[in-house]
Amino acid sequence: MSRKLSLLALAAAVVFTTVASGSPATAAPPPSVQAAPPVAAVDWEGLPTWSAGYGPMRNQSNGLKALRYAVRDYGINLNWTDWPNSKWEVYGQGLPTNGSITDTTNVAIKVPGGGYLRWSPQEWGIDLGWSSTPVYEWNLITTATGQALYNRTRNDYVVYGSRFWGVNLIWLGDAVVTPPGSGATGVKTVIAYNCHRDYRPLNMWVNDMDAGGSWVNLGVVNSQWSGVGGSCPVVGSPFTYSPSVSNHRIQIVGVDHTAPGCSNNPTIGSCQRWMFGFISNTTGGTARITLS
């Protein structure tokens, strides 16, 4: 995930995804693979369900365009193409060639030119990278309407989503607005999980641009990693914020105040680990975001 993300009227970089299956508007970690995937996670089709098979990685939200390896300036080297140009190999851990892949099979996925796809912190774009050897950290969940791709290291599903830097992919937990089907515009509550890849705390600041434009410090959200090299979010509590008025332009900044050369000042761009902008609505949805 990039250092700074802004939304809507504030130079949009992330698009909210509305989940079509019920999700409570309360703080909760991203969904587990043990449960049926949310409707919004079932965003793919074409990947093989047998080990050592290959097929296109087509995306339902992007007009069935498919992913392929392609060099780009920012983020992981992936881009969209017509599906015949997309070829992804899927390998089930411990399975023979053509062995059946189920929802709970640990799988590694590979694209020619790139390698094996894995969770990997990035300066720009989605936190994905390459490995030269198989990384069996994925689950491929096939339903009647498509496929969901779950990463057990990240504890989240990868789906289509617009972003300013890098290929248009996001983690489902990064930007989900509930309640589904409400028709609401704007945000009632922001819930942000601290998965800073360097395990540092973040100082959270809020600026209501339509109420004087002054920054207010709302305190520290500590790292929610289970430990170095573990999973996130697991421990602690997320940052939550609910504006008291509607139709105001709100900015939230997570200041990396313990980073070298930084202080607890939301106006220093190099110390802004994360920035989020939105329009408030006291009857709107909940924005769930993972800060990395």
Side-chain angles (χ1 to χ4, degrees):
M1 190 173 182
S2 60
R3 286 183 183 272
K4 302 177 188 177
L5 294 180
S6 55
L7 182 68
L8 299 175
L10 306 176
V14 171
V15 168
F16 284 143
T17 303
T18 300
V19 181
S21 62
S23 297
T26 56
S32 167
V33 72
Q34 278 72 36
V39 172
V42 183
D43 204 27
W44 304 97
E45 60 182 66
L47 291 170
T49 55
W50 59 94
S51 188
Y54 65 87
M57 191 170 173
R58 295 187 294 190
N59 186 268
Q60 296 181 353
S61 298
N62 194 25
L64 294 183
K65 290 291 186 179
L67 283 175
R68 65 171 297 178
Y69 178 83
V71 176
R72 60 188 310 134
D73 292 334
Y74 296 96
I76 186 172
N77 286 334
L78 287 172
N79 212 340
W80 300 99
T81 184
D82 294 330
W83 72 263
N85 301 318
S86 173
K87 178 182 177 181
W88 289 77
E89 303 165 11
V90 179
Y91 298 89
Q93 189 171 28
L95 291 182
T97 298
N98 295 326
S100 180
I101 291 173
T102 69
D103 295 354
T104 57
T105 303
N106 297 337
V107 302
I109 54 178
K110 180 182 181 182
V111 65
Y116 293 92
L117 192 66
R118 67 173 302 169
W119 179 85
S120 178
Q122 300 294 327
E123 186 74 13
W124 306 100
I126 190 170
D127 285 340
L128 289 172
W130 304 113
S131 170
S132 59
T133 57
V135 181
Y136 296 98
E137 65 180 16
W138 298 92
N139 292 95
L140 178 62
I141 304 155
T142 301
T143 74
T145 58
Q147 295 174 310
L149 195 58
Y150 183 85
N151 185 281
R152 295 190 315 282
T153 302
R154 170 70 188 212
N155 293 327
D156 209 348
Y157 297 91
V158 63
V159 296
Y160 178 84
S162 297
R163 58 168 67 246
F164 192 71
W165 302 106
V167 66
N168 284 341
L169 292 173
I170 63 172
W171 299 103
L172 181 61
D174 274 355
V176 177
V177 171
T178 56
S182 65
T185 59
V187 174
K188 177 181 179 181
T189 300
V190 174
I191 300 173
Y193 303 93
N194 183 3
C195 293
H196 190 312
R197 67 170 182 260
D198 293 323
Y199 313 102
R200 290 198 290 263
L202 295 175
N203 232 298
M204 308 303 292
W205 290 77
V206 173
N207 177 15
D208 186 333
M209 299 174 66
D210 294 304
S214 298
W215 286 100
V216 177
N217 190 349
L218 296 186
V220 172
V221 56
N222 290 313
S223 172
Q224 294 184 258
W225 285 91
S226 59
V228 175
S231 298
C232 187
V234 174
V235 301
S237 299
F239 167 81
T240 61
Y241 173 70
S242 298
S244 60
V245 294
S246 295
N247 298 316
H248 278 211
R249 295 169 297 161
I250 309 292
Q251 290 177 304
I252 302 178
V253 165
V255 178
D256 199 354
H257 60 286
T258 62
C262 284
S263 62
N264 189 22
N265 186 337
T267 66
I268 300 175
S270 60
C271 299
Q272 294 173 345
R273 184 69 185 190
W274 172 80
M275 177 181 283
F276 180 64
F278 63 95
I279 305 299
S280 64
N281 183 346
T282 57
T283 61
T286 298
R288 303 176 188 276
I289 301 163
T290 302
L291 318 182
S292 59

